[in-house]
Amino acid sequence: MTDTNATLMHEKNQPEVFGHLGNTHALMADHGLDHALSTLIELRASQINQCAYCVALHLNQARKAGVAQAKLDTLVVWREVDHFSPSEQAVLAWTEALTYLDRDQDLSDLRRDLRKHFSDEEISVITADIGMISLWNRVQKSKH
């Protein structure tokens, strides 16, 4: 009999599915997604989604990727500080828009800002990263 309160072990229950999902990050890196930028995306989305496990994980990854401590300390208020480059600001705005998903928000200004710094192909990889971390946040939260 299964303990109805037991932690879910998705990777064990569906190893093929979760194995394929795990490979997505390597594909994004292969398609040019900068690791330091990816850690900022994943950390910010994890903050929004309130996934403590993922916040801790991505803080460590960001430090290893060389992201400045000032950026890590102020990521939650990135609009209020001058630590982030215009390209990082565009990505963080895109990350928030695609994580909060306000049905009434017009994304055209955000796309225009992204296109000042990234190709459409790069924006697609950035978008995939945002979607994947939101999925992983939900997977981790569902375990506890």
Side-chain angles (χ1 to χ4, degrees):
M1 177 176 232
T2 301
D3 176 3
T4 58
N5 290 323
T7 299
L8 287 165
M9 301 302 296
H10 301 300
E11 296 86 349
K12 182 180 175 188
N13 296 336
Q14 291 292 331
E16 185 177 5
V17 170
F18 284 86
H20 283 290
L21 291 175
N23 292 334
T24 303
H25 290 282
L27 284 172
M28 290 185 291
D30 288 348
H31 287 275
L33 183 59
D34 177 72
H35 184 60
L37 184 61
S38 177
T39 63
L40 288 175
I41 290 167
E42 293 168 3
L43 179 56
R44 185 64 190 119
S46 295
Q47 290 171 336
I48 293 166
N49 290 325
Q50 300 180 32
C51 181
Y53 173 87
C54 296
V55 166
L57 174 72
H58 298 301
L59 274 170
N60 287 331
Q61 289 176 340
R63 286 185 186 106
K64 288 178 184 173
V67 175
Q69 189 63 45
K71 288 182 180 182
L72 299 178
D73 292 341
T74 58
L75 182 59
V76 72
V77 292
W78 64 268
R79 285 183 175 89
E80 307 302 322
V81 297
D82 61 1
H83 304 311
F84 298 91
S85 70
S87 63
E88 289 170 331
Q89 291 173 16
V91 167
L92 291 171
W94 190 244
T95 299
E96 289 183 357
L98 296 183
T99 303
Y100 284 119
L101 290 178
D102 177 357
R103 76 164 84 201
D104 296 323
Q105 183 174 14
D106 180 358
L107 298 178
S108 56
D109 288 343
L110 297 178
R111 276 192 300 274
R112 186 176 52 253
D113 288 345
L114 279 169
R115 285 183 168 132
K116 293 176 186 175
H117 309 282
F118 302 98
S119 69
D120 282 4
E121 291 78 11
E122 291 169 320
I123 294 168
S124 292
V125 176
I126 290 166
T127 302
D129 195 23
I130 296 165
M132 285 303 300
I133 191 54
S134 290
L135 169 67
W136 285 120
N137 294 155
R138 285 152 178 79
V139 167
Q140 286 302 323
K141 287 187 70 110
S142 74
K143 291 179 173 185
H144 305 286

